[in-house]
Amino acid sequence: MRHIARLVVICVTVFRYGLDELALSSFRHPWVRVLVRVMMIGRSLDAPRGERLRMGLERLGPIFVKFGQVLSTRRDLLPADLADELAKLQDNVPPFPAEEARRMVESALGKPIEAVFARFDAEPVASASIAQVHFARLKDGREVAVKVLRPGMLAVIDDDLSLLRMIAVWVERLSADGKRLKPREVVAEFDNYLHDELDLVREAANAAQLRRNMQGLGLILVPEMVWDYCTQTVIVMERMNGVPISQTQRLIDAGIDIPKLARDGVTIFFTQVFRDGFFHADMHPGNIQVSIAPETFGRYVALDFGIVGTLTEVDKEYLAQNFIAFFRRDYKRVAELHVESGWVPPNTRVDQLEGAIRAVCEPHFDRPLKDISLGQVLLRLFQTSRRFNVEIQPQLVLLQKTLLNVEGLGRQLDPELDLWKTARPFLERWMHEQVGWTGFVERLKNEAPRYVQLLPELPRLLHAALQPHATDQQRVLEALLVEQRSTNRLLRTAVYAGVAVLLGLLAIQIAARLH
């Protein structure tokens, strides 16, 4: 019943804000246009369609807002009016009351606001789908940002995820692509990421890890957490100052090298993915700023670490090899990797898969980002994957989403950016470090502490390793001796019996003669 009620709310919201018009008006069939007119009876749709779409997504809750945030970065796929309005979802969701924010902060920290902060701004500086941020100053004078979780978020998200799980089950049962798409596993991944985002302590830990990883790169700044004031519903962090990356003209006026900024963004993304296997997975423009302070001029400023992606060494290796093969236009190797990794059935013909991938990717090389759409490339690859029964990898869903975000940012900053040429040297260098002599030495250094501990124990370990073999040999010898003794007994018994028989026969013969 709860699911039915939520579906009713979704349908009512769609109808109220005229979102059905956006979905159906593109059809040319006369009966569809009649249906749209009938559904619009009694509704006032005076507001622009982009504003209605944004308000409808806000009304439906955080999962739908996340969907709108992803769409807002894809101006190549959306009309300008829709993209401009959806961009407001990135950090301009209506805030909850300041009194509620103060109450939650005091409840989480267990102290009055005045006991912790010398100043606490009641007006939030940013308000998103999951939380909102207030600027403040600690008693020791440090300027900080206080992130407060929206009240009641857990119940809303649990209801929507429960509905998505039910839909995923039906998709898996009724759709021919259900098994290949793994909808239940994808929803489970989404469930994990959203619940991670609702735990602000986990977000603070993500930020701390990313800060350590990025320290030596010199391209990105990550705020330091104030751990004494971090809880599941409230976290306090270093205040960061920068210009939102969406305000390109302000960055140009400040003297920022925009093409370099775009290239740095690609480098940051590939470093996080392939070097660390730990990447910021919510890189929409609302979470990215650029520092114009003299000491950190031109560096990215990352915010909001509720959603991060992780990759295993196996995932990284296969992805890197796939990317490099793409950059080299070695489509046969791409097809072979899909078979080796188990992403396609083992009986797939490599030459056919190679030809299909070539047809999708070849038209997009040697062209600037403004002339291609990675979204369209992924769509074509998705259509091709259906033919070859490629299994969707749930652990890579976040990576695909983040890659689209990166492309959206790059397109916004520098439409002339060649994504392939920018990424290829990095990946080739990474692969050399992984599989070449450098990688061997690095792995040897990483394993050295274990070897140092094992060396003094080596004689004992060798003795222990050989001991089972000695015991086995001893058991074999004992078994042979037992068998030999048994054989000896049998032989003795046979001899004694033979002698007794001979003696008996001899006695009988003597008795007969005497008789």
Side-chain angles (χ1 to χ4, degrees):
M1 291 300 295
R2 190 172 71 253
H3 293 157
I4 294 174
R6 181 57 175 163
L7 282 172
V8 170
V9 170
I10 292 173
C11 292
V12 169
T13 303
V14 166
F15 180 75
R16 176 181 176 183
Y17 291 99
L19 306 186
D20 53 293
E21 177 192 12
L22 296 176
L24 298 177
S25 61
S26 59
F27 288 87
R28 299 184 180 276
H29 298 289
W31 65 269
V32 176
R33 292 200 298 269
V34 171
L35 177 62
V36 172
R37 292 194 183 96
V38 170
M39 295 180 69
M40 289 176 61
I41 294 175
R43 293 188 296 179
S44 175
L45 303 179
D46 297 332
R49 62 177 184 171
E51 182 179 344
R52 286 187 280 114
L53 176 59
R54 175 181 59 79
M55 291 191 299
L57 294 177
E58 288 176 352
R59 182 68 177 266
L60 289 173
I63 289 182
F64 294 88
V65 169
K66 287 290 180 190
F67 176 68
Q69 289 173 349
V70 174
L71 280 180
S72 69
T73 66
R74 301 318 313 269
R75 292 181 176 269
D76 56 316
L77 304 179
L78 290 178
D81 61 323
L82 296 183
D84 290 340
E85 198 64 36
L86 290 178
K88 298 178 181 178
L89 293 173
Q90 293 164 3
D91 58 358
N92 198 26
V93 177
F96 56 90
E99 295 77 13
E100 182 73 11
R102 289 179 61 93
R103 185 191 65 77
M104 291 191 67
V105 171
E106 291 180 341
S107 174
L109 302 183
K111 300 177 182 179
I113 287 279
E114 293 74 15
V116 178
F117 303 103
R119 189 197 77 250
F120 184 88
D121 297 346
E123 190 69 24
V125 67
S127 180
S129 57
I130 298 295
Q132 66 187 36
V133 178
H134 298 256
F135 283 157
R137 182 187 299 123
L138 293 174
K139 290 288 189 179
D140 60 10
R142 283 181 290 173
E143 294 289 336
V144 294
V146 183
K147 186 169 186 177
V148 186
L149 192 69
R150 281 182 176 271
M153 277 293 96
L154 184 60
V156 174
I157 286 179
D158 281 344
D159 282 347
D160 279 353
L161 286 171
S162 179
L163 177 61
L164 287 176
R165 279 190 287 269
M166 182 187 72
I167 293 172
V169 170
W170 284 105
V171 168
E172 200 167 84
R173 289 177 180 175
L174 301 178
S175 171
D177 289 328
K179 183 178 179 181
R180 182 178 64 83
L181 297 178
K182 301 182 180 178
R184 285 192 291 179
E185 293 185 35
V186 171
V187 171
E189 287 282 315
F190 196 34
D191 184 346
N192 289 335
Y193 296 130
L194 278 175
H195 278 89
D196 287 351
E197 195 172 7
L198 291 173
D199 183 354
L200 297 189
V201 170
R202 185 182 290 270
E203 176 177 345
N206 291 340
Q209 180 68 54
L210 200 62
R211 179 183 171 89
R212 284 195 299 273
N213 291 348
M214 295 288 101
Q215 252 177 348
L217 193 63
L219 297 177
I220 185 170
L221 303 172
V222 178
E224 184 179 3
M225 296 292 122
V226 183
W227 286 107
D228 290 340
Y229 303 121
C230 289
T231 70
Q232 286 188 325
T233 56
V234 173
I235 56 174
V236 179
M237 70 193 83
E238 172 190 4
R239 176 174 173 176
M240 308 299 287
N241 296 300
V243 176
I245 200 167
S246 57
Q247 299 180 12
T248 311
Q249 191 56 51
R250 279 188 62 190
L251 296 175
I252 294 173
D253 295 341
I256 298 292
D257 184 343
I258 299 298
K260 179 180 181 302
L261 190 67
R263 293 193 301 272
D264 288 349
V266 175
T267 300
I268 291 169
F269 170 72
F270 281 98
T271 300
Q272 292 179 3
V273 170
F274 292 107
R275 189 194 71 182
D276 305 325
F278 187 90
F279 59 95
H280 192 308
D282 203 13
M283 293 181 64
H284 62 74
N287 289 338
I288 304 294
Q289 297 179 353
V290 180
S291 173
I292 56 175
E295 61 275 12
T296 56
F297 186 78
R299 294 190 191 181
Y300 281 79
V301 177
L303 304 170
D304 193 348
F305 310 94
I307 302 180
V308 297
T310 56
L311 296 173
T312 65
E313 292 299 322
V314 174
D315 290 332
K316 289 193 296 182
E317 182 178 346
Y318 272 112
L319 283 170
Q321 290 192 40
N322 268 284
F323 271 111
I324 290 174
F326 269 121
F327 297 151
R328 294 174 177 172
R329 304 189 190 187
D330 186 355
Y331 303 115
K332 181 179 181 181
R333 182 57 184 153
V334 175
E336 290 172 346
L337 285 166
H338 276 66
V339 176
E340 291 173 11
S341 63
W343 292 1
V344 295
N347 59 350
T348 301
R349 284 189 56 177
V350 171
D351 60 330
Q352 291 182 352
L353 182 57
E354 174 191 356
I357 294 172
R358 180 185 294 109
V360 173
C361 299
E362 191 64 27
H364 299 282
F365 277 97
D366 297 327
R367 300 171 66 185
L369 198 55
K370 68 176 181 179
D371 295 334
I372 65 173
S373 168
L374 192 58
Q376 293 296 334
V377 174
L378 289 177
L379 181 61
R380 289 281 309 278
L381 284 173
F382 180 76
Q383 292 169 343
T384 301
S385 71
R386 294 180 62 183
R387 174 183 163 194
F388 291 93
N389 296 315
V390 177
E391 290 194 358
I392 302 301
Q393 305 300 308
Q395 76 274 20
L396 303 183
V397 170
L398 262 189
L399 181 64
Q400 294 166 0
K401 166 187 173 293
T402 308
L403 188 56
L404 292 178
N405 285 148
V406 170
E407 188 208 0
L409 284 172
R411 187 183 303 278
Q412 178 180 322
L413 291 172
D414 181 17
E416 299 293 335
L417 174 69
D418 189 326
L419 185 64
W420 317 115
K421 289 183 179 178
T422 305
R424 178 175 173 175
F426 175 88
L427 285 173
E428 290 181 337
R429 185 172 63 253
W430 181 84
M431 282 297 293
H432 173 71
E433 291 173 353
Q434 292 297 307
V435 301
W437 175 253
T438 306
F440 171 75
V441 173
E442 189 64 29
R443 286 193 295 273
L444 197 61
K445 286 195 297 185
N446 292 336
E447 294 292 333
R450 292 183 59 195
Y451 298 150
V452 170
Q453 290 181 344
L454 289 174
L455 281 175
E457 302 176 7
L458 192 57
R460 180 178 59 80
L461 293 173
L462 285 172
H463 176 73
L466 294 173
Q467 196 64 30
H469 299 293
T471 304
D472 290 342
Q473 293 174 359
Q474 186 176 357
R475 279 199 296 266
V476 171
L477 288 174
E478 289 177 354
L480 288 173
L481 287 173
V482 170
E483 189 67 25
Q484 184 178 9
R485 292 191 191 102
S486 176
T487 303
N488 290 340
R489 284 196 298 269
L490 288 171
L491 288 172
R492 283 197 299 270
T493 302
V495 170
Y496 294 155
V499 171
V501 169
L502 289 174
L503 289 174
L505 291 173
L506 182 62
I508 292 172
Q509 188 175 7
I510 293 172
R513 286 182 178 179
L514 289 175
H515 179 71

